[in-house]
Amino acid sequence: MSLCPLCECDALSHFHQDKKRAYLRCDNCHLVVVPKHYLLCDEQEKNTYDQHRNDPQDMRYREFLGRAVNPLFSQLPQGAEGLDFGCGSGPTISVMAAEAGFAMKNYDLYYYNVLQNLARTYDFITMTEVIEHIAEPKSLLMRLDRLLNPGGILVVMTKLVEKEMEFGQWYYKGDPTHICFYSMETFDWIAKQFGWRLECVDSDVVFFHKH
């Protein structure tokens, strides 16, 4: 039996089935996950990402990201340094941070695979519209915890999973690179697991505060 990629228990049960994929939900951490045999290969995944047009000059895109980063910037002390994990082909949060007086590094597996940026620690880390693409979220969250300084903030932006009845009509699951879907119950589980404090900032934005 497959294990949950977040809590590694074997309590995965059927949640939904559409014409393209099946979806399982973990009874322990409530993560909804797509079974591994549906996952794209790296080339297919990157081809999908190459179709995204994220531009720091796009004011609508900035407004979208602002729902996550503006509340963050208001909480940061002067001189705080951060990392945008999964920045994509057009890094924008680092530009917005610089305008607000904060230095940021960028990292992205396909577009900014600069490993030295993962070899230091940060006061804050942003991960906007990224975590739903990650096949092994436990490993990623453990790595981000190591990268985050005590007292630091991890920002996660992702659409939260709907109830099963509504999930069938949910546009968010239509992206073939979206393979893990989170709920507030899942974020509660993560916070307790890592000893973080969970702050709900918006309908699709949470902050994890590291003690």
Side-chain angles (χ1 to χ4, degrees):
M1 178 179 288
S2 298
L3 298 180
C4 173
L6 178 58
C7 70
E8 297 184 331
C9 79
D10 60 0
L12 292 173
S13 55
H14 172 79
F15 183 65
H16 185 76
Q17 174 81 50
D18 61 24
K19 294 180 180 180
K20 295 182 179 179
R21 305 188 293 185
Y23 305 83
L24 306 176
R25 181 168 61 182
C26 178
D27 297 332
N28 181 43
C29 68
H30 303 282
L31 183 75
V32 174
V33 59
V34 173
K36 288 184 178 180
H37 61 272
Y38 291 104
L39 305 190
L40 303 181
C41 69
D42 290 350
E43 182 180 0
Q44 292 171 321
E45 189 175 46
K46 185 177 183 297
N47 286 342
T48 302
Y49 297 152
D50 285 344
Q51 298 172 29
H52 297 175
R53 293 292 180 264
N54 299 334
D55 183 352
Q57 304 304 317
D58 183 342
M59 298 311 296
R60 291 181 63 184
Y61 185 49
R62 279 174 168 252
E63 184 178 351
F64 171 73
L65 295 175
R67 293 190 296 106
V69 300
N70 291 336
L72 169 68
F73 296 156
S74 69
Q75 295 190 31
L76 295 177
Q78 186 175 5
E81 296 181 342
L83 171 71
D84 185 11
F85 188 95
C87 62
S89 59
T92 300
I93 291 179
S94 56
V95 175
M96 297 171 70
E99 294 167 353
F102 301 104
M104 287 191 78
K105 300 291 187 181
N106 291 307
Y107 177 81
D108 190 281
L109 176 64
Y110 293 120
Y111 302 104
Y112 283 82
N113 197 350
V114 184
L115 294 180
Q116 58 260 40
N117 289 348
L118 302 181
R120 50 159 295 184
T121 59
Y122 297 92
D123 302 309
F124 64 98
I125 299 172
T126 59
M127 191 164 54
T128 57
E129 294 292 316
V130 171
I131 199 169
E132 65 276 4
H133 301 274
I134 303 299
E136 299 181 354
K138 179 182 178 181
S139 298
L140 172 63
L141 291 168
M142 291 175 65
R143 171 177 243 181
L144 295 179
D145 185 46
R146 293 192 296 268
L147 294 177
L148 198 60
N149 290 325
I153 302 174
L154 170 62
V155 177
V156 176
M157 172 185 260
T158 187
K159 294 288 186 292
L160 299 188
V161 67
E162 306 288 343
K163 296 178 181 178
E164 201 280 332
M165 184 179 298
E166 300 164 338
F167 188 86
Q169 305 301 318
W170 197 27
Y171 80 95
Y172 206 60
K173 71 176 178 61
D175 186 327
T177 66
H178 290 182
I179 54 178
C180 286
F181 304 92
Y182 295 75
S183 63
M184 201 53 66
E185 290 86 356
T186 312
F187 286 144
D188 280 332
W189 185 92
I190 290 171
K192 291 173 183 173
Q193 186 74 11
F194 285 89
W196 296 336
R197 177 173 65 84
L198 175 63
E199 178 187 359
C200 302
V201 176
D202 206 331
S203 61
D204 57 352
V205 179
V206 297
F207 291 179
F208 291 109
H209 297 262
K210 183 174 180 177
H211 296 302

